[in-house]
Amino acid sequence: MICGENAAQKGRETVKKLVSTAFASFALFCLSTAALAAPPIKIGALFAVTGPASFLGEPERNTAQMVVDEINKAGGVKGRKLELITYDTGGDATKAVQLANKLVKNDQVVAIIGPSTTGDSMAIIPVVEKAQIPLISCAAGSKITEPVKKWVFKTAQNDGLAVARIFEQLKKEKKTKVAILTVSDGFGASGREQLKAQAAHYGIQILSDDTYGPKDTDMTAQLAKIRGSQAQALICWGTNPGPAVIARNAKQLGLTIPVYMSHGVSSKKFIELAGDAAEGIRLPSGKVLVADLLPKNDKQRNSLLAFIKDYQNHFKAEGDHFGGHAWDAVMLLKGAIEKGGDTPAGIRNALESTRNFAGIGGVFSYSAKDHAGLTKDAFTLVEVRKKDWVLVK
Amino acid sequence: MELLNQVTQFVISGLATGAIYALIGLSFAIIFNSTGIINFAQGEFVMLGGVLTIFSLNVLHLPLVAAIVVAVAVTTIIGLVFERLAIRPLKNATPLALIIITIGASILIRGLVMLLWGKDTQALPAFSGTDPISIAGATLLPQHLWIFGVTILVIVGCRLFFNHTISGKAMRACSFNRRAANLVGISVGRMVLFSFVISAAVGSLAGVIIAPLTMTAYDVGVMLGLKGFCAAIMGGMGSGLGTVLGGLILGTLESLGAGLISSGYKDAIAFFILLLILFIRPQGLFKKGETERV
Amino acid sequence: MKTDRIKFLVFALVVLLIPLPLSGGYLTNVLIFVGINSVLALGLNLLLGYAGQISLGQAAFFGLGAYGSGVLTTAYAMNPWLAMIAVALCVAAFAFAIGFPVLRLKGHYLAMATLGVGVIVNIALNETVELTGGPSGLSGIPNLQVGSLTFDSDLKNYYLVWVFALGMILLSLNLVNSRFGRGLRAIHDSEVAARVMGVNARLMKVQVFTLSAFMSAIMGSLYCHVMTFISPSSFGFSMSVELLTMVVIGGLGSVYGSILGALLLTLLPEMLRTFQDYDIIVYGLLLITMTIYLPGGLAEGIPALFRRLVPVRKVTEGSDA
């Protein structure tokens, strides 16, 4: 069988060579006549559009498609259109791997953006590394780019940066004892890991460490326990609807300590779900939430306002920072193709040399040592006041 | 003292969650008792109740009471259609085929709701405010009282229906022995239809009254259905007090487990105790044993 | 008996030849998972279709196999083959131990109990973060190796998985045609009658439960080495339900049916992709209509359909459909 494969491969390679020479001469001929008739550049996208992570995947898919359409409307990249091939992973690692293979082998894309979740991203990393196709993940887990993998980049801010932002504030307020309550899925687990790892560095002591299930409907038990402890603040790490339930339960129990949430709920949806109970809750957020409150000289301002306006026009909804991850990924890719050409290797090298790209998630500067590209300035601390966000000074 | 306060809160919260499980468990038991079918789409009825109420409230701009009536009525019709299209055509179906069909139906309903109303979680306003009520150092929300109230109403209603009306007695007859029921002139088919209708109504009602507390989305049915099923099994699949106690015990166990032992393992603790109950008393906690007919 | 042997040989030949025209493309990758799912479904079918015992926790054994191998080969750098055998034996022992109390239950109680086991195992995989990496998964699992041959491409993994699968299919075929298999079917028809006839029903049920757990664990090990990354969400309740669906759609009590079911359900999402978001609806509808109109599953349906369409010609379709 294996010998047969080798022989077949050799045969195929000869054919491939012939075809590619023919193609090259043909392409030369075409190029001289009409540049616009060049075939589109194929980009793959994997998002968890359905399943438990659809709150990430849906805005990401919408945004990616929107940005690609806008780019094509404006004439494409160096005169060539982009073609976005999107598949839905459903948040399932096995499916993500199959689909990554499909993008690489059948669709022959030059780069992949997504997946939405850390799990899916970790699952397909071996596939893209082997196929040598650049991947720009939209998931937050820091282990995606730590240690650095040659072909893997990411746009979502590392959880660690959000944790650092919260701890900094607590240190400023001289609060040293906290309770943490995290959701038992990939997002919560990653947050919990970072919270525990960084606490000592800021001189903070974690008094109680509890979790809740993603589909739980009542967290009063955990909160009653926390109420009974000496904690001076509660940090809760999760995505809707869990944190909204926690906010309501905390109000029910009359919990008086300040509550910090994660960037996982930084959208109006959280305020809508938690209602009055959201009042006074603080969270680290990407700047998209407070774009109109930013000073005029903020580097990201133009990108943010453009994204918000486009999203409003296309979907009649508020663009959130999840969609922003896809916006950043497509725009970074566009820049890389302009600079490095349309080969996977060219794109990768151009991505790695990207500096000071002001996107939605922050100002990206990739390097050979850093494929996440952001600093903790990517987060601002906001507070809910009168059903809206204000900046915490 | 602090610990005592905490434990009171755990128990009260657990009972409140347990009442939800009990109500859903009852809707499982109603179908099982007259048909022997475990309806894996039961959680979807619960979800429909909540989602349809929010839809009627926000899009059709109906007042709350009308919205609830519409939601329960529509879900009941869906239950009826489901029985007609998916259960009735199967003559002499094996229990397994029925499990698969109801799983198929749950996927279908979930998919339709997702397409029609999107994937976002939504909240229903509380029926009578959100000011906490304090009981023996623990707190409850007014919505919890609604849940307790409706659960009691449904139990009383079920009891009256199954013991004191002709239809109710006929449905019970079907569960004891279908052929004999048929022989004495009971239309078994109609009773099966009936049970789906009642169960869909109870399930959706449960979905409506918990939506202000737990919020709702197209995919909340799976976990709630599973817990309700668990409650029904603990109670021995009866449509009375047993299932309610099963639900309350399950809720309290979860809450105590989360508060006192480990929040991460709380579901595992609940399921572990369920397994123990099954091993020691396979007929449920509150039922006498039966010998198997050959 | 002879036709059975020929059938298997034809099937094995088809399996071994299929990848050649695909030339290592994307479909080869999908077919690896078809192989894994086939054996998982087959294991469940032995329990469900032959012995008549339902299990809604089958994914737990698959998950334990995957995590056992994953953890032993990464954190403890154990030889993967040794780990695979050790883990499979441990999982089998675990199944044997819980088999006695669990399989005493019947019908929906059994369904609930197996479901409970599945939930508990999944929670344990999620919560033992130090060992399993928790919900964010376990990465960096090595590929399998034989001498200098590393199973690192789709084509190599295809043959790796399917050689194992063919072995287990052959084992199952022999098993169901043996005295043991006849005993199982007797339990399916009436456990009391079987016991009266001198069949040790209780032990046999536990034995077949243990066997199906063993098969699932081996596939779990293969899965983790093929994927090189695993996370607990792949081994949850939905996976158990999916396996159940494969068995029922393929045909209860049919070895080849399970393979057909696995093939269909693994390829179905691919075929439905053209429906975009509507695929979940089509999936639900298919489940309902197939159970209503094709209660014997594909294993019964396809030959019947074939006979109706082509009345005289001899049927060899079952193997390459």
Side-chain angles (χ1 to χ4, degrees), chain C residues 75-224:
Chain C
Y76 300 95
M78 196 168 163
N79 178 307
W81 295 102
L82 207 62
M84 183 188 293
I85 296 166
V87 167
L89 289 176
C90 288
V91 173
F94 170 65
F96 189 75
I98 63 166
F100 281 99
V102 168
L103 289 163
R104 242 182 53 195
L105 303 166
K106 294 193 172 52
H108 50 274
Y109 292 114
L110 179 62
M112 186 78 233
T114 49
L115 194 158
V117 171
V119 171
I120 292 174
V121 167
N122 200 251
I123 291 175
L125 293 181
N126 257 317
E127 291 299 317
T128 47
V129 180
E130 280 75 23
L131 206 59
T132 64
S136 19
L138 184 67
S139 56
I141 302 166
N143 284 118
L144 282 168
Q145 274 183 324
V146 175
S148 62
L149 173 68
T150 309
F151 291 92
D152 56 359
S153 76
D154 285 345
L155 197 68
K156 290 176 198 165
N157 277 321
Y158 174 90
Y159 284 109
L160 170 74
V161 166
W162 274 101
V163 163
F164 270 86
L166 285 174
M168 298 211 186
I169 291 165
L170 189 60
L171 175 87
S172 309
L173 282 170
N174 286 331
L175 189 82
V176 297
N177 289 320
S178 69
R179 202 182 130 78
F180 188 80
R182 286 191 294 278
L184 286 182
R185 278 190 292 261
I187 297 174
H188 189 180
D189 294 338
S190 165
E191 193 175 327
V192 180
R195 256 190 264 160
V196 172
M197 301 290 282
V199 175
N200 187 344
R202 207 159 156 210
L203 183 65
M204 280 182 77
K205 285 198 287 184
V206 176
Q207 280 170 333
V208 75
F209 186 64
T210 310
L211 177 68
S212 80
F214 179 81
M215 290 165 71
S216 306
I218 294 270
M219 283 301 131
S221 299
L222 288 176
Y223 172 87
C224 88

Side-chain angles (χ1 to χ4, degrees), chain A residues 1 5 12 61 87 93-95 97-99 101-102 105-106 119 122-123 126 130 143 184-186 189 211, chain C residues 16 23-26 29 33 126-127 135-137 139 152-155 159 223 227-229 234 266 270 273 277:
Chain A
M1 261 338 116
E5 186 206 348
R12 253 181 285 128
R61 182 203 46 195
Y87 296 126
T94 316
K95 229 189 253 173
V97 166
Q98 289 176 7
L99 291 171
N101 269 295
K102 191 174 186 183
K105 290 181 179 153
N106 279 26
M122 294 306 288
K130 188 147 169 276
K143 61 181 183 176
S184 60
D185 64 13
T211 62
Chain C
L16 294 177
S23 60
Y26 151 72
N29 181 269
F33 295 101
N126 257 317
E127 291 299 317
S136 19
S139 56
D152 56 359
S153 76
D154 285 345
L155 197 68
Y159 284 109
Y223 172 87
M227 289 275 291
T228 70
F229 168 86
S234 314
T266 316
E270 289 310 308
R273 196 134 291 157
D277 286 359

Side-chain angles (χ1 to χ4, degrees), chain A residues 337-352:
Chain A
I337 295 171
E338 275 166 357
K339 207 161 69 176
D342 63 353
T343 59
I347 293 172
R348 190 211 87 88
N349 293 337
L351 272 176
E352 197 168 74

Side-chain angles (χ1 to χ4, degrees), chain B residues 166-247:
Chain B
I166 292 286
S167 305
K169 286 178 184 169
M171 282 171 72
R172 267 176 46 219
C174 290
S175 80
F176 285 125
N177 191 328
R178 277 184 163 218
R179 193 182 286 172
N182 211 350
L183 282 176
V184 297
I186 296 169
S187 162
V188 175
R190 184 177 299 164
M191 293 307 135
V192 172
L193 183 68
F194 247 42
S195 70
F196 268 85
V197 166
I198 298 173
S199 164
V202 172
S204 61
L205 192 63
V208 174
I209 58 165
I210 65 172
L213 269 184
T214 64
M215 291 167 255
T216 193
Y218 75 101
D219 59 348
V220 297
V222 186
M223 204 58 196
L224 287 172
L226 209 60
K227 294 281 171 65
F229 182 31
C230 214
I233 291 272
M234 276 175 136
M237 293 309 282
S239 46
L241 224 48
T243 301
V244 176
L245 285 177

Side-chain angles (χ1 to χ4, degrees), chain A residues 106-151:
Chain A
N106 279 26
D107 303 320
Q108 313 216 311
V109 297
V110 294
I112 298 176
I113 60 176
S116 317
T117 67
T118 306
D120 286 0
S121 303
M122 294 306 288
I124 73 163
I125 284 173
V127 179
V128 296
E129 283 285 303
K130 188 147 169 276
Q132 311 207 322
I133 299 285
L135 172 78
I136 308 181
S137 167
C138 294
S142 24
K143 61 181 183 176
I144 296 170
T145 51
E146 281 167 28
V148 171
K149 285 122 195 140
K150 190 174 174 200
W151 296 90

